[in-house]
Amino acid sequence: MAQQMKSLAQDTVIYGGSTIIVKFLNWLLVVLFTYTLPNPAEYGVVTNLYAWTSMLVVILTYGMETGFFRFANKDPENSPKVYGNSLISVGFTSLLFVLFIIVFNQSIANALSYEHHPEYILMLGLCVAMDAFSAIPFAYLRFIKRPYIFAGLKLVYIVLYIFLNLFFLLICPWLMKVAPNTVSWFYNPNYGVGYIFVSNIITTTIQTLILSRYIFQAKFIFDYDLLKKILQYSLPLLILGITGIANQNLDKMLFPRLQPGVEGKTALGIYGATSKLALVMMLFTQAFRYAYEPFVFSRHKDENRLQVYADVMKYFILFSLVIFLGMVLYLDIFKFILPKNYWIGLSIVPIILWSFIFQGIYFNLSFWYKLIDKTIYGAWISLVGTLIIIFGNVFFVPQFSYWGAVWAGFACYFSIMLISYYFGQKFMPIKYDLKTIGLYTVVTLILYAISLFINTPYMGLNIALKSVLMLAFLVLLVRRDFPLKNIPVLNRYFK
């Protein structure tokens, strides 16, 4: 079991390290966007449209990543054929989507209140199609254990995307002042937000071209029976995926309708930007997911697998609580990432962090229905969460603005976490270390509550006092569950 945990930890470091770097660099773009765009309403456009693209990528992928993992691991010798049929299916549907966007981009723009910029819809539609198709080659890289190539391609993407955004939002405006002839032939100073989407389409196209090397490693032999089996397994995951991404982004998609006008866009911009401060928790969850999904499927026949799942859950929660405390105790530092006109939304960060923790726990719990091929349960559970999101936003956003959206998300993830735990214990009972998990959760809440009373006029003193609370939690963690003598490198100095 120790070797299995070591393997999972190693993959998590590679996938997680690259994911954290990529997301962190993407996080820095929030600083660029909020400081260069004229007002929060402009950033509200970015928040709204990227929420829609996230949903569409999931729809166009329709669970085929997980389906590929499942059937490729069932018959490793036949994995190139599984890979080829997965690519054929996703490629065909992505092409149909591109044709739809080309024909109806103006109508879609009108419906979303971007009637003056139908090109936004066209550019993002093309990005969505390429991202959906690229999801299968990226899954293939994870399957054949090429974490460094996976990480490298993700880094190339984000570095290029950042460079293009810096070029369009900072360098070009500067050149328009000092040497206008160099950029005036293609650059429009009034296009603003549009250049974020221009950067996206250029970067996504280049990434897809680079992936072509691995796309052609597939066996493109169409097998109707094989594809039918993959789709039968994957399509319930489409419902799961749609509801899952809806739970994350539906509030940002509905927000302009529930709170219309400039006021609504401004509130959405503040909500979207401040929620990005909680990104560290999402980074950890996503990095863990990249490593844990293939890990679970490749070891589902091991005798000690249930104990491994229980241990992974415990350590996942413990690290999540460390991240939570690190964020809320030092929020006085992190807030400087955003301009002052966004600080009004900082109080929502702790609730969003807990929502991400519940989401991560739910992901850990979700493997019981994937391993016993009962993915329909996951679809129904996520659907419950989506209904909570919808009703919570519809009833509370008009009155409480983004606070309604935040608490709707909290209620959603807390509910589906409990439901998944209940049914998981029926179909695949796992003895989780609830005593340890409960202890650390209570300690975390107590320390956070104490931190709320630390509010002196001196920021340095506040941070010092909160650091004592953080140190107390880390001491408990080390003395009880992470003795330094068991940690590589440090074990040379501690016995």
Side-chain angles (χ1 to χ4, degrees):
M1 184 171 69
Q3 184 61 35
Q4 294 174 345
M5 296 295 287
K6 182 179 178 181
S7 174
L8 175 61
Q10 182 178 359
D11 285 350
T12 302
V13 168
I14 299 172
Y15 289 117
S18 62
T19 301
I20 288 172
I21 292 172
V22 167
K23 292 293 184 180
F24 176 73
L25 292 174
N26 195 40
W27 187 29
L28 292 179
L29 283 174
V30 177
V31 181
L32 175 65
F33 296 158
T34 54
Y35 277 95
T36 57
L37 296 176
N39 51 63
E42 290 287 302
Y43 189 71
V45 175
V46 178
T47 302
N48 177 242
L49 286 179
Y50 276 129
W52 280 103
T53 59
S54 298
M55 171 73 79
L56 289 170
V57 168
V58 170
I59 293 174
L60 288 179
T61 311
Y62 45 90
M64 289 295 282
E65 289 176 279
T66 305
F68 164 72
F69 277 126
R70 180 63 168 164
F71 286 87
N73 278 292
K74 271 188 173 181
D75 186 7
E77 293 184 0
N78 201 35
S79 59
K81 193 175 180 181
V82 175
Y83 179 37
N85 278 267
S86 300
L87 281 172
I88 290 171
S89 181
V90 177
F92 177 72
T93 51
S94 297
L95 181 60
L96 290 179
F97 177 76
V98 168
L99 295 175
F100 175 82
I101 289 295
I102 291 173
V103 175
F104 296 106
N105 68 87
Q106 182 64 66
S107 300
I108 297 170
N110 294 342
L112 295 177
S113 301
Y114 302 114
E115 58 276 358
H116 299 300
H117 293 285
E119 75 280 5
Y120 291 178
I121 307 303
L122 181 59
M123 286 188 288
L124 290 178
L126 293 173
C127 289
V128 164
M130 288 187 283
D131 281 338
F133 182 70
S134 298
I136 306 303
F138 274 120
Y140 176 70
L141 289 174
R142 291 160 62 196
F143 171 73
I144 62 175
K145 305 293 185 184
R146 296 292 188 272
Y148 292 106
I149 296 174
F150 179 97
L153 288 173
K154 293 289 185 180
L155 288 173
V156 167
Y157 172 87
I158 193 62
V159 169
L160 180 58
Y161 182 56
I162 289 174
F163 169 77
L164 289 172
N165 276 287
L166 289 172
F167 176 72
F168 286 120
L169 298 179
L170 286 182
I171 297 175
C172 284
W174 175 75
L175 288 174
M176 282 294 290
K177 294 179 180 179
V178 299
N181 292 335
T182 58
V183 294
S184 60
W185 58 279
F186 70 87
Y187 178 73
N188 179 2
N190 300 317
Y191 199 50
V193 171
Y195 283 117
I196 297 175
F197 308 135
V198 171
S199 301
N200 198 339
I201 186 67
I202 294 173
T203 308
T204 304
T205 301
I206 292 173
Q207 181 190 63
T208 305
L209 292 174
I210 295 174
L211 277 172
S212 61
R213 172 185 174 185
Y214 302 98
I215 292 171
F216 290 107
Q217 291 183 11
K219 285 187 178 179
F220 291 102
I221 303 173
F222 183 74
D223 187 326
Y224 174 79
D225 292 331
L226 174 61
L227 183 57
K228 182 179 178 181
K229 292 178 182 177
I230 299 174
L231 288 172
Q232 285 176 340
Y233 178 86
S234 301
L235 284 178
L237 295 177
L238 170 60
I239 302 174
L240 178 63
I242 291 174
T243 53
I245 202 67
N247 296 345
Q248 296 179 38
N249 293 304
L250 196 58
D251 52 353
K252 302 173 184 68
M253 295 160 64
L254 294 174
F255 206 97
R257 299 290 181 184
L258 299 173
Q259 195 171 1
V262 176
E263 182 182 352
K265 288 183 179 179
T266 300
L268 179 57
I270 293 172
Y271 173 39
T274 51
S275 63
K276 291 288 187 181
L277 293 180
L279 185 67
V280 174
M281 190 68 73
M282 188 180 72
L283 292 181
F284 175 61
T285 301
Q286 188 171 9
F288 178 83
R289 176 182 177 180
Y290 277 131
Y292 195 46
E293 191 168 42
F295 173 87
V296 169
F297 282 122
S298 63
R299 289 172 171 81
H300 69 282
K301 295 181 180 179
D302 291 358
E303 293 182 1
N304 62 341
R305 66 189 185 281
L306 297 184
Q307 184 59 48
V308 172
Y309 300 159
D311 288 342
V312 169
M313 172 69 86
K314 181 180 77 171
Y315 292 121
F316 172 84
I317 294 176
L318 297 190
F319 279 112
S320 296
L321 294 176
V322 170
I323 294 171
F324 171 81
L325 283 176
M327 287 297 301
V328 297
L329 295 182
Y330 299 104
L331 194 56
D332 286 340
I333 297 175
F334 291 121
K335 69 181 182 181
F336 289 101
I337 292 171
L338 302 175
K340 287 187 177 181
N341 55 340
Y342 287 84
W343 290 5
I344 191 175
L346 290 174
S347 51
I348 67 174
V349 172
I351 298 105
I352 295 175
L353 286 169
W354 275 110
S355 296
F356 281 139
I357 292 175
F358 297 149
Q359 181 185 5
I361 296 172
Y362 171 67
F363 173 76
N364 274 271
L365 294 169
S366 68
F367 279 97
W368 65 265
Y369 57 74
K370 294 179 181 178
L371 290 172
I372 64 174
D373 294 343
K374 298 285 187 180
T375 51
I376 190 64
Y377 279 91
W380 283 112
I381 293 171
S382 288
L383 183 59
V384 170
T386 302
L387 292 175
I388 293 173
I389 287 283
I390 292 173
F391 286 112
N393 278 270
V394 169
F395 284 109
F396 297 115
V397 166
Q399 185 175 359
F400 300 105
S401 189
Y402 48 76
W403 274 104
V406 170
W407 282 111
F410 181 94
C412 161
Y413 287 114
F414 182 72
S415 299
I416 63 176
M417 175 188 70
L418 293 181
I419 294 171
S420 185
Y421 175 79
Y422 174 78
F423 284 104
Q425 292 302 98
K426 282 181 170 290
F427 289 95
M428 185 184 290
I430 298 175
K431 294 182 179 179
Y432 294 111
D433 190 355
L434 299 180
K435 180 180 178 181
T436 297
I437 293 170
L439 170 67
Y440 281 103
T441 301
V442 170
V443 171
T444 299
L445 292 174
I446 292 173
L447 293 176
Y448 172 59
I450 294 173
S451 74
L452 296 177
F453 294 95
I454 300 175
N455 189 25
T456 73
Y458 309 103
M459 189 178 78
L461 179 59
N462 292 337
I463 293 172
L465 292 174
K466 291 178 181 179
S467 295
V468 174
L469 300 179
M470 188 73 200
L471 182 62
F473 186 85
L474 294 176
V475 168
L476 173 64
L477 196 68
V478 168
R479 291 180 65 86
R480 191 180 189 278
D481 288 280
F482 286 92
L484 297 177
K485 65 181 180 179
N486 293 339
I487 301 176
V489 180
L490 292 180
N491 59 9
R492 300 176 184 177
Y493 309 102
F494 297 92
K495 294 184 180 180

